Amino acid sequence: MAGTLSGIWLTRGRDGSLTLYTPAEGGLQRWTETRPGAGDWSRPVLIPIAGLTHLSVTQDTNAYVHFVGRREQRKTDGRTVVDVVYAIQYQPGRPVSGWRSLGNPHKDAEPAGLLGEPEAVVTPSGMVHVFVRSAGGGLALRREQSDGKWRPWSERRADGIASTLAAIALASGRIELFATTANGILHWSQQEPGGALGEGHPARLAVAQGTLAVLETGADRPTFYWTDPGGRGVVAYRAGAWPTALGGMPGDGPHAALRVLVDGYDCTVLAHRGADGSAVIGVGVTEDEGNGVWWSDTGVRTLAPPALAPDAFGRVLMAVVGEDGMPRVALQTDGPGLTLSEWRTL
């Protein structure tokens, strides 16, 4: 079994207000900015959902927040039932819909318990896609139809997928999916929006398990990021090009990636949990990795990989989970470059 849920998630509503989520006893705790960009936050609100072991949080073009989680429930007869659950939040600070079960691609209890960590994306047309590693290392998919009904689980041919997946719905409507294997990676790419996902293209790239992230860095073009197991730090990769080492000293866990303007330049901001447990942030010109990424250790220790989001004024907000389990945030300050304010505990 996957164990207890951990992490921190940031989203931005259509009005620009930020919302932060962290795991809590019995569900998720949520903090919401009371005024967009003002830096004032509400008191925490509990979103009840017991048994989550993994959570994927994504948004659609309306900024609705979609939650897809892996849940383990202990039954009175001692059995543990594993399923995928789904909920949606339409506006910042508003209630979350009831959680509904999307079931499990496996009917028998033993393989069902080996289900991996779901990854969710929403296309610009509003269709939710859920990807998850099946018990045998294959790829399972369930997606929502245009009428709001869900299609049954289906399997895609794959072999030896580890639990880590990274998926993105590009602005064009195409979906790209990346998965790690014991021998490298598998990369799926739709040729057109709504088209067949096709078969995963294998490549012998060295990827540290559990570190994948993805960001749309150009028109219809994603960049994938991961940690190099050979000690070269963060790696950036785009299809058709060689992986580029970006440096840094990442520890375990995935990277956060955000595209924003810094001093008028189109920049990519990256963040991760360093090897010593502190939060590290880096910035470089988007798709110009060869000219370097400038890394800065914040000196603040975090129990989970950091999260990044732009506030209502386009300033970068970084969020971490302190060693006391409480979320802390720091906001980009005025002035040249990317400098963060003092940390504030919510």
Side-chain angles (χ1 to χ4, degrees):
M1 297 300 177
T4 304
L5 178 69
S6 63
I8 188 168
W9 300 270
L10 273 174
T11 62
R12 190 176 81 163
R14 292 193 73 171
D15 65 351
S17 59
L18 296 172
T19 302
L20 183 150
Y21 308 87
T22 64
E25 184 69 29
L28 301 172
Q29 278 201 320
R30 180 186 73 190
W31 289 258
T32 304
E33 280 190 306
T34 55
R35 288 185 299 149
D40 299 321
W41 296 77
S42 68
R43 295 180 62 83
V45 174
L46 180 68
I47 301 172
I49 173 68
L52 286 184
T53 64
H54 178 81
L55 184 66
S56 176
V57 178
T58 190
Q59 289 184 273
D60 60 27
T61 55
N62 292 312
Y64 299 161
V65 182
H66 299 258
F67 305 89
V68 175
R70 180 187 185 277
R71 178 174 65 177
E72 297 178 0
Q73 298 180 90
R74 179 74 67 175
K75 300 298 183 179
T76 55
D77 60 3
R79 294 180 302 120
T80 298
V81 176
V82 175
D83 65 348
V84 176
V85 290
Y86 169 75
I88 185 170
Q89 178 182 293
Y90 293 103
Q91 293 180 350
R94 302 299 297 169
V96 173
S97 72
W99 293 82
R100 62 171 295 176
S101 176
L102 299 181
N104 190 309
H106 305 290
K107 302 302 181 184
D108 296 332
E110 184 174 351
L114 299 175
L115 190 70
E117 303 167 349
E119 179 76 4
V121 296
V122 187
T123 63
S125 64
M127 291 184 63
V128 183
H129 293 64
V130 179
F131 302 97
V132 64
R133 176 189 55 77
S134 64
L139 178 68
L141 163 65
R142 191 165 189 196
R143 58 180 174 170
E144 189 181 25
Q145 299 177 147
S146 57
D147 61 2
K149 295 181 180 179
W150 287 81
R151 297 180 182 178
W153 285 101
S154 61
E155 293 264 355
R156 295 293 186 272
R157 287 204 305 170
D159 184 36
I161 295 178
S163 200
T164 302
L165 301 172
I168 188 170
L170 300 164
S172 67
R174 290 195 314 106
I175 291 175
E176 295 212 9
L177 175 69
F178 218 71
T180 56
T181 70
N183 298 315
I185 62 98
L186 289 171
H187 184 190
W188 289 263
S189 180
Q190 279 183 328
Q191 297 305 302
E192 59 184 17
L197 193 61
E199 296 189 11
H201 177 72
R204 296 187 66 86
L205 299 174
V207 179
Q209 298 291 339
T211 64
L212 283 173
V214 60
L215 179 69
E216 186 166 4
T217 55
D220 201 37
R221 186 169 57 250
T223 298
F224 293 89
Y225 302 93
W226 63 77
T227 298
D228 173 54
R232 296 192 304 159
V234 185
V235 172
Y237 171 78
R238 285 183 291 279
W242 291 103
T244 302
L246 307 182
M249 291 292 291
D252 57 354
H255 299 271
L258 178 67
R259 189 177 173 188
V260 293
L261 289 177
V262 178
D263 297 339
Y265 292 96
D266 180 355
C267 290
T268 296
V269 181
L270 300 169
H272 55 250
R273 186 174 183 264
D276 64 352
S278 64
V280 178
I281 190 169
V283 61
V285 176
T286 299
E287 294 197 350
D288 192 19
E289 294 89 357
N291 279 326
V293 173
W294 287 263
W295 297 101
S296 176
D297 189 330
T298 67
V300 173
R301 297 183 66 80
T302 177
L303 299 179
L308 299 170
D311 79 348
F313 300 104
R315 299 171 298 186
V316 176
L317 185 94
M318 186 177 186
V320 301
V321 178
E323 291 185 297
D324 58 0
M326 296 300 295
R328 288 175 168 80
V329 297
L331 183 64
Q332 179 182 358
T333 60
D334 295 333
L338 179 59
T339 304
L340 297 178
S341 66
E342 295 294 322
W343 290 89
R344 175 185 175 185
T345 300
L346 299 187

